[in-house]
Amino acid sequence: MADSAQAQKLVYLVTGGCGFLGEHVVRMLLQREPRLGELRVFDRHLDPWLEELKTGPVRVTAIQGDVTEAHEVAAAVAGAHVVIHTAGLVDVFGRASPETIHEVNVQGTRNVIEACVQTGTQFLVYTSSMEVVGPNTKGHPFYRGNEDTLYEAVHRHPYPCSKALAERLVLEANGREVHGGLPLVTCALRPTGIYGEGHQIMRDFYRQGLRLGGWLFRAIPASVEHGRVYVGNVAWMHVLAARELERRAALMGGQVYFCYDGSPYKSYEDFNMEFLGPCGLQLVGARPLLPYWVLVFLAALNALLQWLLRPLVLYAPLLNPYTLAVANTTFTVSTDKAQRHFGYEPLFSWEDSRTRTILWVQAAGSSAQ
Ligand SMILES: NC(=O)C1=CN([C@@H]2O[C@H](COP(=O)(O)OP(=O)(O)OC[C@H]3O[C@@H](n4cnc5c(N)ncnc54)[C@H](O)[C@@H]3O)[C@@H](O)[C@H]2O)C=CC1
Ligand SMILES: CC(C)CCC[C@@H](C)[C@H]1CC[C@H]2[C@@H]3[C@H](O)CC4=CC(=O)CC[C@]4(C)[C@H]3CC[C@]12C
């Protein structure tokens, strides 16, 4: 697509395009990618809002499919110029089995790579995660780190294990020859905790706070910083990376980029209060109300109950040993690599991101969606 780049209309495929992040990527492409000719949205579950998008100038093709099915992926990838692979099983609560998480996140990614190679698609952007790095099982802090910061990445939980393996597959595939003889160019974007319109855990916290009469109770010390990034900026970073991969293949190919923006460094709960506070909730306690060992005990109890009840019912509360460790370990990034490599600047300021999220929480919290 080199010479006629300005004129040629491109075909993009977004896997997981109906998910929280995927929807934002899809809408961002339609708004901000002038070379877009066709947008293929591939997901296991197609959402009704896709229908509205079909009336615009860009051809939007909804494809119901499963990334674990190699033939379905190959059919969707055939003829695409760029793939943004954001589909994944995000489960840190024990809802799915480790085998299923591996199958979707690792084998699904392998299928996407092989489909690119077989069909001649040259550009692949993969949605990785901060979890590929940490927090690690030892609870070491990662304080304002960047892509080159040395950190002992040790995983045991199926989700980070699967994201780390999948990211490695994507990076190792960079440079492979695709059908037609050209090299595959890949990169991986690593969001920290994403927030914004569509963030289900935020909505759940809001509803829980309403049920408790407007109160939430501090569980984690305010001094523990947790990295967060606005979904619109994560989507924008995907769109920009996908666009620039062709022009800057030598620089960007095989690289990883943390996703970042101007969101403040705060604890997980204090950050959530930036949105839940204006929606009428209050966080009780300058310090955690329960001693940490009680939380550790409750998290272990939840894990035991999950295991005992599994034959009868799925018990998957938010608090378990893994989520407690993540929430209780400082992990924040400070980097400008995406700016240096492909000119990324956040599209949404912190104030914009905050306002948009508050409006969504207010609407989502009071409706049944
Ligand atoms: N939510 C977060 O804070 C973060 C998410 N990520 C990554 O971002 C990506 C998107 O995550 P979210 O939007 O939060 O999750 P999500 O669950 O809202 O979206 C994932 C989408 O993938 C689809 N999907 C799942 N299994 C599939 C399969 N077998 N075949 C086809 N489609 C399938 C789902 O139907 C869903 O629409 C994931 O790869 C996740 O690992 C990375 C860092 C942080
Ligand atoms: C008081 C409790 C201990 C609070 C529980 C909060 C947890 C449910 C969430 C705290 C940190 C979140 C994770 C973090 O933002 C990093 C993530 C990256 C991903 O790729 C997927 C999601 C997640 C694991 C995210 C999940 C919820 C938390 C564990």
Side-chain angles (χ1 to χ4, degrees):
M1 63 183 184
D3 285 340
S4 54
Q6 294 311 313
Q8 192 188 359
K9 287 291 183 187
L10 302 181
V11 179
Y12 273 66
L13 169 70
V14 180
T15 71
C18 290
F20 167 39
L21 172 61
E23 176 176 352
H24 285 265
V25 172
V26 162
R27 293 185 187 277
M28 187 65 71
L29 278 167
L30 290 168
Q31 284 164 19
R32 301 246 168 199
E33 183 43 67
R35 296 193 299 168
L36 191 63
E38 182 190 346
L39 178 54
R40 298 180 187 166
V41 182
F42 181 98
D43 204 298
R44 215 148 67 97
H45 305 289
L46 297 178
D47 279 344
W49 55 261
L50 271 177
E51 290 305 311
E52 297 157 29
L53 305 182
K54 290 186 177 167
T55 53
V58 171
R59 181 169 164 202
V60 176
T61 313
I63 306 170
Q64 183 166 23
D66 190 326
V67 288
T68 66
E69 297 293 337
H71 66 282
E72 293 182 3
V73 178
V77 170
H81 298 96
V82 184
V83 175
I84 299 180
H85 176 41
T86 192
L89 191 44
V90 184
D91 181 17
V92 291
F93 307 111
R95 292 179 189 138
S97 70
E99 293 76 24
T100 308
I101 293 173
H102 182 92
E103 186 67 9
V104 174
N105 293 351
V106 183
Q107 187 57 39
T109 301
R110 195 177 278 125
N111 290 342
V112 170
I113 295 167
E114 292 309 319
C116 290
V117 170
Q118 282 162 25
T119 66
T121 297
Q122 228 200 314
F123 303 103
L124 170 61
V125 176
Y126 172 62
T127 313
S128 182
S129 169
M130 70 182 240
E131 298 270 305
V132 162
V133 180
N136 63 20
T137 47
K138 297 178 180 172
H140 293 157
F142 186 89
Y143 181 75
R144 320 256 166 119
N146 64 31
E147 291 82 354
D148 299 319
T149 302
L150 293 177
Y151 186 80
E152 198 183 335
V154 193
H155 312 292
R156 249 186 257 129
H157 192 279
Y159 175 74
C161 286
S162 70
K163 294 300 284 186
L165 279 172
E167 183 189 92
R168 178 137 42 96
L169 290 177
V170 168
L171 301 180
E172 286 176 358
N174 181 62
R176 272 183 73 181
E177 187 177 305
V178 304
H179 181 77
L182 293 168
L184 180 63
V185 189
T186 67
C187 73
L189 305 189
R190 293 172 173 169
T192 53
I194 307 173
Y195 70 93
E197 306 94 297
H199 186 204
Q200 298 308 314
I201 299 179
M202 183 84 75
R203 189 204 56 185
D204 294 347
F205 273 117
Y206 180 51
R207 289 187 177 166
Q208 191 190 339
L210 291 180
R211 277 198 299 273
L212 296 173
W215 306 105
L216 287 171
F217 301 93
R218 187 185 292 280
I220 305 293
S223 56
V224 177
E225 283 185 0
H226 189 80
R228 304 293 285 269
V229 59
Y230 176 62
V231 66
N233 287 323
V234 180
W236 173 230
M237 209 166 146
H238 280 70
V239 170
L240 214 53
R243 183 190 297 167
E244 294 298 318
L245 260 188
E246 180 190 8
R247 218 155 51 91
R248 307 185 198 215
L251 180 65
M252 293 176 65
Q255 294 289 322
V256 297
Y257 302 93
F258 277 120
C259 298
Y260 56 91
D261 62 13
S263 304
Y265 299 113
K266 287 189 174 229
S267 74
Y268 188 77
E269 291 165 312
D270 285 303
F271 191 84
N272 283 356
M273 287 313 292
E274 289 284 347
F275 320 104
L276 302 179
C279 294
L281 299 196
Q282 285 198 43
L283 182 63
V284 180
R287 297 211 194 124
L289 293 192
L290 295 174
Y292 186 63
W293 68 264
V294 176
L295 284 181
V296 172
F297 174 76
L298 291 175
L301 187 65
N302 278 342
L304 178 67
L305 284 174
Q306 179 172 78
W307 183 73
L308 289 174
L309 296 173
R310 197 174 283 284
L312 304 170
V313 67
L314 177 65
Y315 176 66
L318 285 189
L319 181 65
N320 64 45
Y322 181 76
T323 57
L324 179 59
V326 175
N328 196 50
T329 307
T330 286
F331 195 103
T332 46
V333 301
S334 172
T335 177
D336 63 354
K337 184 172 175 184
Q339 192 275 325
R340 285 184 284 111
H341 280 209
F342 55 94
Y344 163 78
E345 295 288 350
L347 198 57
F348 302 92
S349 66
W350 159 239
E351 288 70 28
D352 272 359
S353 310
R354 185 169 176 269
T355 306
R356 285 166 177 264
T357 307
I358 291 169
L359 291 174
W360 179 80
V361 173
Q362 284 170 340
S366 55
S367 77
Q369 61 170 294

